[in-house]
Amino acid sequence: MELRIDRQALVPVVQQIVDALAIWIRQDAVEPGTRLPSIRQLARQNLLSQASVHEACQRLVAQGLLASRHGSSFFVAPAVSDAGATAEEAWLPGVSSAPADPTHQALKLGCGGLPESWRESDDLGYAIRQVSRTDMAGLFNYGPPLGLPALREQLSRRLKQFEIDADENRILTTTGALHGLDLIVRTLLPPGCCVVVESPGYPKLFDLLRLHKIDMLELPRTSRGPDVDALQCLLAIHRPSAIFINSTCHNPTGSNLIPAVAQRLLQLARKHAMLVIEDDVYADFQGATRARLAALDAEVIYLGSFSKTLSSSLRVGFMAAAPSVIARLGEVKAITCMGGSRFAESVLAKLLANGAYRKLAQRQRQRLNADMAVALQLLEDADWKVFGKPSGGLFIWARPPLCDYAELQRMARRCGVQLSSRTRFSPSGADTDWLRINVAYARDPKAQAFFRATALDRPQVS
Amino acid sequence: MELRIDRQALVPVVQQIVDALAIWIRQDAVEPGTRLPSIRQLARQNLLSQASVHEACQRLVAQGLLASRHGSSFFVAPAVSDAGATAEEAWLPGVSSAPADPTHQALKLGCGGLPESWRESDDLGYAIRQVSRTDMAGLFNYGPPLGLPALREQLSRRLKQFEIDADENRILTTTGALHGLDLIVRTLLPPGCCVVVESPGYPKLFDLLRLHKIDMLELPRTSRGPDVDALQCLLAIHRPSAIFINSTCHNPTGSNLIPAVAQRLLQLARKHAMLVIEDDVYADFQGATRARLAALDAEVIYLGSFSKTLSSSLRVGFMAAAPSVIARLGEVKAITCMGGSRFAESVLAKLLANGAYRKLAQRQRQRLNADMAVALQLLEDADWKVFGKPSGGLFIWARPPLCDYAELQRMARRCGVQLSSRTRFSPSGADTDWLRINVAYARDPKAQAFFRATALDRPQVS
């Protein structure tokens, strides 16, 4: 069996073996019980170490795709229902909760994260095992409410690369960026106030604000950042307490804030005493070269996360803000949940300190850049209209040539593709003709078939 | 010096050496200036190349942990400050935040958890490493908001032992019981309402209710549970929305609810449409033989946790309630923090499924029972008054023969003992002469010296 391992690729070899075998099992619909060639055979034929092949097979056992006998010979496992994944998907932000594709294999073209096959377990697994073996406080004790000092020190260093000056008393860890947003909303925003949000924007933020009965003022997002002229008009009429901004790799448009817009936005915020909250969870998909509001104004509250790059499971995010704000939010964090997971924070601190996280993010960025180019070309070939031209990151916001959403949905289902929600990116729940395209999924044959189908079905202009 | 290098790991050997040495320096708090074994010795003893060991030491010099002479012999560098550990202690619940003992060794006689020396790392560490090696979804993905099905299934089985009938749609995981309390308060209690709390009671609950601006009605705790006659009087005047009860191993008195009191409490709650919240975080210190409110009434909201027994660091707790309540709280959980740590929940599910947790709790229970007997004897010998006589668990609530708190504090400091707060166990912050004694610390020589000192200093009745 030829696995076609690419030794120049950024993806670790073991992961490539996992992917290749998974594709063989799923695509060729191999019969359950089929015996895999021996580890030795697979290794020899593909010039791999037996240890790598064995590790890959073990991971596939864990994923339920293979079964093993005596830990040495491997068989294709009986087909499993994908119920767990489906339950989870229904809660993933921004993804249509339409009935799942009956094959349970629908490509999540519109989803908000990286495919599981991109995740890398080596460094993370190693750090976890290290902490579990050696760091007894990390294994057992409560963490301090502001977060583990070792992690905050690392975060402080990372933020300096974004030109954000955040010493440790300006940093608070959270269990993901959404927890940070919740702390801000429940602590700093008076009930009944109104805030400015970008439209289209982050669905989970809208849910959170609705839960807190906070009114949202819609601010259009342009390809250069929020529409500051529109903001000026809003501020002539309303008195919002805060504004929420995605500076880099904006969800869902993929656009980046440019410095001129950032400057004007901050001027308006200062003039109107409006709190600025910068949600930068996709920061590491773009690198350090983009404008950040928090780099220009120390009063901005900045939010980051490791859920998009390293792991969504560990639940580690953070925020940077003025020390008085951090102290207040830290107190509310302590009162409402004691503190974050000291274990997870120790693992993160380790990965930041030894450089493994930096390299992981770099690899993901390079892969995304390559996939972005491919995706933009595919959309252009299929005559889709693209909102701005993201220069990197995870998302493209694009409009198909065909505007009948129901027909588009049917087409997507036929191709085995799941589309992003039509209404969840709007604070008011309004329909949109635009779709969020996750570039990490766009080169998949199912996505390509879908793009081609939309082009073919387009009404011909005579 | 044994470095425990894992040759199967994908992490480079040099990095493993760096990690092992750094842990040795930090964890064992090795004296600055201590000389490292020679490169040759370290290499030979651990079957490593001298070049690898040398490279690792050089990296540790760059990190400021080692210093070198002539680039060949290595010493532990001058110590870094340990501010983090002290800062953390100041946040522990119910512990006086008086200036820390200068030796940093004060015995936390009044604290709310087990000593670190009681914690057991073998089973937990093993489960963590298993999940990290084999469960890719556990390592990377978001967990479902209600909690991992495998964990909820195990919790359902455990609750059956307490005669609580909780199938999986009645269970929600939380990041600790305090997170559960916060979800209840923010979702089910209208702002401005009043609730009944036990006095003395759990300080963090009082903080939480104050944060939410909810009024507290004080209900005296007796050694048989809350004072139900006093409750009846309260209900004649007030209309509380809810009542919060510690059924077993009550914090801080260590008392258990008896069935007759439980029955009357539930009758009153039903009659006055009052929500009953049963906080049972110390459940496993008592075992399954005690009365639980949730076993008698399916409308009770029951809260549990693994922070007291297994690990406070992983942040896993849970609640059981009516399916409609669980659905509503699960939605708020999803909106405010996405969900818990799938990793931590997978680890817990494993430990519950393989019986390791059950055995751990049993061992802790046996040790606590022995320590309880010793502590009660010590207090009796020193003429302290004991509130009820707890038949197990972690706490004794006791009053020293000497009532001058300032003098008692001086005495405690001289003996190297840290006392519980004088005011935090009261919802109104009133002073008390009673102290919470953690039996796991009471046989320590420092505690024994303190008890003896209070007996000697007692004014002699002529």
Side-chain angles (χ1 to χ4, degrees), chain A residues 355-373:
Chain A
Y357 178 77
R358 182 174 39 77
K359 289 179 205 154
L360 164 89
Q362 205 169 27
R363 287 191 293 272
Q364 287 180 344
R365 221 151 39 227
Q366 287 168 354
R367 271 184 91 169
L368 280 175
N369 285 343
D371 283 2
M372 174 61 79

Side-chain angles (χ1 to χ4, degrees), chain B residues 28-324:
Chain B
D28 298 0
V30 181
E31 283 289 311
T34 304
R35 191 178 175 150
L36 217 64
S38 75
I39 299 290
R40 187 184 300 179
Q41 240 179 311
L42 278 172
R44 193 184 310 150
Q45 198 183 342
N46 294 282
L47 303 175
L48 295 162
S49 76
Q50 290 189 33
S52 300
V53 179
H54 192 263
E55 168 66 19
C57 289
Q58 292 287 17
R59 289 194 199 169
L60 285 164
V61 170
Q63 289 178 21
L65 282 174
L66 289 182
S68 91
R69 266 174 226 159
H70 320 302
S72 59
S73 64
F74 293 90
F75 299 81
V76 175
V80 253
S81 89
D82 203 14
T86 317
E88 180 187 342
E89 230 151 75
W91 292 88
L92 279 176
V95 169
S96 157
S97 57
D101 184 71
T103 65
H104 292 298
Q105 298 277 342
L107 183 82
K108 295 180 284 180
L109 181 61
C111 84
L114 290 177
E116 208 174 310
S117 61
W118 282 50
R119 302 286 203 174
E120 299 179 19
S121 66
D122 293 350
D123 292 323
L124 176 58
Y126 179 74
I128 284 174
R129 292 190 286 275
Q130 278 286 97
V131 172
S132 82
R133 284 211 177 88
T134 55
D135 178 358
M136 292 301 115
L139 205 48
F140 293 122
N141 295 359
Y142 290 107
L146 291 188
L148 206 63
L151 175 58
R152 280 155 59 220
E153 188 193 322
Q154 289 298 329
L155 291 171
S156 169
R157 286 193 201 161
R158 273 190 77 238
L159 288 173
K160 284 208 178 77
Q161 293 165 18
F162 295 160
E163 288 169 33
I164 297 171
D165 187 27
D167 57 28
E168 290 159 53
N169 65 351
R170 292 181 54 92
I171 294 178
L172 173 73
T173 66
T174 60
T175 61
L178 189 59
H179 178 220
L181 287 170
D182 182 44
L183 284 173
I184 291 167
V185 173
R186 74 192 296 181
T187 310
L188 304 178
L189 299 184
C193 77
C194 68
V195 300
V196 179
V197 294
E198 295 181 286
S199 179
Y202 177 40
K204 281 261 173 188
L205 170 64
F206 306 153
D207 290 343
L208 183 71
L209 292 167
R210 270 191 287 270
L211 178 76
H212 284 271
K213 298 188 173 57
I214 288 174
D215 284 333
M216 292 179 264
L217 305 171
E218 284 193 54
L219 180 62
R221 173 81 185 197
T222 76
S223 60
R224 299 145 55 90
D227 182 336
V228 268
D229 292 327
L231 179 60
Q232 194 156 14
C233 296
L234 271 181
L235 292 174
I237 309 166
H238 303 279
R239 290 185 159 275
S241 303
I243 180 168
F244 292 82
I245 300 290
N246 250 184
S247 38
T248 50
C249 189
H250 170 256
N251 183 4
T253 70
S255 59
N256 293 316
L257 180 69
I258 65 162
V261 173
Q263 292 284 10
R264 240 189 102 199
L265 190 151
L266 290 170
Q267 279 164 9
L268 287 170
R270 272 191 290 263
K271 185 172 163 197
H272 295 268
M274 193 171 54
L275 199 60
V276 178
I277 296 128
E278 179 175 32
D279 177 354
D280 203 19
V281 294
Y282 294 100
D284 292 326
F285 290 159
Q286 278 285 0
T289 55
R290 303 285 160 187
R292 258 83 188 190
L293 296 165
L296 300 169
D297 186 334
E299 296 301 309
V300 169
I301 304 182
Y302 179 89
L303 293 147
S305 167
F306 297 95
S307 296
K308 301 299 175 187
T309 45
L310 183 76
S311 161
S312 314
S313 171
L314 288 184
R315 313 304 306 124
V316 182
F318 62 94
M319 62 170 85
S324 61

Side-chain angles (χ1 to χ4, degrees), chain A residues 24 47 61 138 151 232 250 265 288 298 330 353 356 396-397 402 457:
Chain A
W24 170 68
L47 302 175
V61 170
L151 176 57
Q232 195 157 14
H250 170 256
L265 189 151
I396 302 172
W397 188 236
L402 163 90
D457 255 47

Side-chain angles (χ1 to χ4, degrees), chain A residues 62 88 91 122 126 129-130 132 134 138-142 182 186 204 212 311-313 334 341-343, chain B residues 10-11 16 19 23 27 88 129 132 134 138-140 142 182 186 204 212 311-313 334 341-343:
Chain A
E88 182 187 341
W91 293 86
D122 296 346
Y126 177 74
R129 292 190 286 275
Q130 277 287 100
S132 82
T134 56
L139 204 50
F140 293 121
N141 295 359
Y142 290 108
D182 182 44
R186 74 192 293 182
K204 279 262 174 189
H212 284 271
S311 162
S312 315
S313 171
S341 162
R342 187 178 186 129
F343 182 80
Chain B
L10 295 151
V11 179
Q16 291 190 52
D19 293 341
I23 281 155
Q27 285 225 141
E88 180 187 342
R129 292 190 286 275
S132 82
T134 55
L139 205 48
F140 293 122
Y142 290 107
D182 182 44
R186 74 192 296 181
K204 281 261 173 188
H212 284 271
S311 161
S312 314
S313 171
S341 162
R342 187 178 187 130
F343 182 80

Side-chain angles (χ1 to χ4, degrees), chain A residues 88 92-93 112-116 118-120 124 155 158 174-180 202 279-285 303-318 344 348 357 360 364 394, chain B residues 137 139-143 337-342:
Chain A
E88 182 187 341
L92 278 177
L114 291 177
E116 207 174 312
W118 281 50
R119 302 285 202 174
E120 300 180 17
L124 176 58
L155 291 170
R158 273 190 76 238
T174 60
T175 60
L178 189 58
H179 177 220
Y202 177 40
D279 177 355
D280 203 19
V281 294
Y282 294 100
D284 292 325
F285 290 160
L303 294 148
S305 167
F306 296 97
S307 296
K308 299 301 175 186
T309 45
L310 184 76
S311 162
S312 315
S313 171
L314 289 185
R315 312 305 304 126
V316 182
F318 62 94
L348 244 304
Y357 178 77
L360 164 89
Q364 287 180 344
L394 194 59
Chain B
L139 205 48
F140 293 122
N141 295 359
Y142 290 107
C337 72
M338 299 292 285
S341 162
R342 187 178 187 130

